[in-house]
Amino acid sequence: MFGFIRPVKPELRVREADRFQQVYCGLCHAIRARYGRFYTLFLSYDMTFFALVAGCGQADTPPPCAKRCDAHPLVKRPCAQRDEALELAADVSVLLTYHKFRDSVADDTGAKRLLAKALCRMGRRGYEKARARLPEADGEMVAALDDLQALERQSCDSLDRPADASARLTAAVVPKTGDARERVLRQMFYHIGRWLYLLDAAADVAEDLEHENYNPVVRRYGLREPDLTEIKEPLERTLERSLADVCMAFDLLDAARDADLIRNIIFLGMPLVTRQVLDGTYQTNGGWGKHGSL
């Protein structure tokens, strides 16, 4: 995933900001315990959000524990205790990260492609373990990624078709339970995936134009310059439609845990990042140099 999903810190209570950091750290420890250190290097705020949503149906929030890690070897830091939500998020994080490597092998050239191939080799063992734990989800991801790559090879000039393929990949992270909650979560993560794909495309317009890479926004609007001014309004409308569906789906979840924190992310954080990307003011990690620090 891309790191676009994050809270707006000034609007958080102190305990909510602390909770987000604890879940981030707890997810890092869960990935390390299940898959080793390699995949912890690719931990993102997006997967922290997934862990929060995956566990929001639980009534209680266990007190945090204190652990050291490679980034903080001397002082123990509070982190969320491992539970089913964190373990699921760890598995999903590995699957999505590995398929991102695969996508980079297909899309990139030169040194970037060689790096992606090396990352695939290094991450293969962890991916096989995650695939064994979530075979159905991985099968859906593979099918969606294959469809996406086929559309990219065709240089598809539609926004919706590649965005749909990417959205199906993201919706696959939701476990199949056969109940109403699964349907709501799939709708939610489908539109999150659609929003992520189109927003990432908008953020990459300048780079993709320079390197002549496929970009659905460039193809759809026939851009020759990395200026989004003329297409900002229609692009913002399609992104806002997906955000509206994400918000409606969340309201149907009736979250029992971390509801205010999740609400901050989807009602404030995601719209803010949308405006920043389209205005050209977006900064990775909010401008902070230290990953994982709000």
Side-chain angles (χ1 to χ4, degrees):
M1 300 173 93
F2 306 93
F4 289 135
I5 304 177
R6 61 194 189 200
V8 177
K9 186 177 180 181
E11 299 296 331
L12 289 175
R13 300 182 182 93
V14 173
R15 67 173 179 270
E16 292 167 349
D18 289 346
R19 171 66 176 164
F20 186 85
Q21 191 69 51
Q22 289 161 14
V23 173
Y24 181 94
C25 293
L27 178 55
C28 185
H29 281 284
I31 293 172
R32 178 177 170 179
R34 290 166 82 80
Y35 298 101
R37 286 179 168 83
F38 175 73
Y39 276 103
T40 65
L41 300 174
F42 307 97
L43 176 62
S44 70
Y45 289 148
D46 300 357
M47 292 313 305
T48 306
F49 170 76
F50 175 76
L52 288 166
V53 175
C56 74
Q58 303 297 318
D60 299 322
T61 305
C65 56
K67 292 185 177 180
R68 294 185 179 89
C69 64
D70 293 342
H72 305 93
L74 300 180
V75 180
K76 290 184 178 181
R77 291 169 61 89
C79 68
Q81 293 188 38
R82 278 179 60 185
D83 57 11
E84 290 184 4
L86 282 176
E87 290 180 348
L88 174 63
D91 299 339
V92 167
S93 180
V94 170
L95 290 180
L96 288 174
T97 300
Y98 184 82
H99 289 308
K100 184 70 171 65
F101 297 158
R102 279 188 58 214
D103 191 48
S104 296
V105 170
D107 291 348
D108 293 336
T109 58
K112 286 187 176 181
R113 188 165 188 266
L114 291 175
L115 175 61
K117 283 186 173 182
L119 292 173
C120 278
R121 287 194 296 270
M122 294 169 68
R124 182 73 188 185
R125 184 176 179 184
Y127 163 67
E128 294 289 355
K129 290 174 66 176
R131 182 172 67 173
R133 286 174 171 143
L134 299 174
E136 288 187 84
D138 182 67
E140 290 185 51
M141 290 179 189
V142 170
L145 185 58
D146 288 346
D147 290 345
L148 177 60
Q149 290 175 348
L151 290 167
E152 291 176 346
R153 287 194 296 270
Q154 298 166 16
S155 200
C156 178
D157 61 3
S158 166
L159 288 180
D160 289 330
R161 292 177 66 194
D164 170 73
S166 183
R168 285 189 285 114
L169 188 152
T170 310
V173 305
V174 179
K176 290 187 176 181
T177 55
D179 56 12
R181 184 177 181 83
E182 180 206 336
R183 293 192 295 273
V184 171
L185 284 170
R186 283 197 169 248
Q187 177 78 353
M188 183 176 178
F189 279 95
Y190 176 91
H191 284 285
I192 286 173
R194 184 179 187 276
W195 175 81
L196 280 168
Y197 180 79
L198 294 177
L199 194 67
D200 185 59
D204 287 347
V205 163
E207 181 180 352
D208 289 339
L209 278 172
E210 180 182 353
H211 296 97
E212 299 183 350
N213 295 331
Y214 172 77
N215 185 303
V217 173
V218 173
R219 291 286 297 138
R220 169 64 180 82
Y221 295 105
L223 296 181
R224 297 183 180 278
E225 299 293 334
D227 184 358
L228 302 181
T229 303
E230 292 186 4
I231 66 167
K232 178 182 175 182
E233 186 175 337
L235 193 53
E236 190 169 20
R237 280 200 302 269
T238 193
L239 289 165
E240 286 177 346
R241 282 199 296 269
S242 281
L243 287 181
D245 285 332
V246 172
C247 294
M248 286 189 290
F250 175 70
D251 284 338
L252 292 173
L253 280 180
D254 193 24
R257 186 171 82 180
D258 298 317
D260 290 339
L261 175 52
I262 298 170
R263 187 174 294 275
N264 174 291
I265 294 170
I266 63 176
F267 283 83
L268 299 178
M270 292 168 71
L272 175 61
V273 170
T274 300
R275 293 193 296 272
Q276 289 174 338
V277 168
L278 296 182
D279 291 342
T281 59
Y282 174 76
Q283 291 179 292
T284 302
N285 200 21
W288 292 85
K290 185 178 179 183
H291 186 60
S293 297
L294 284 175

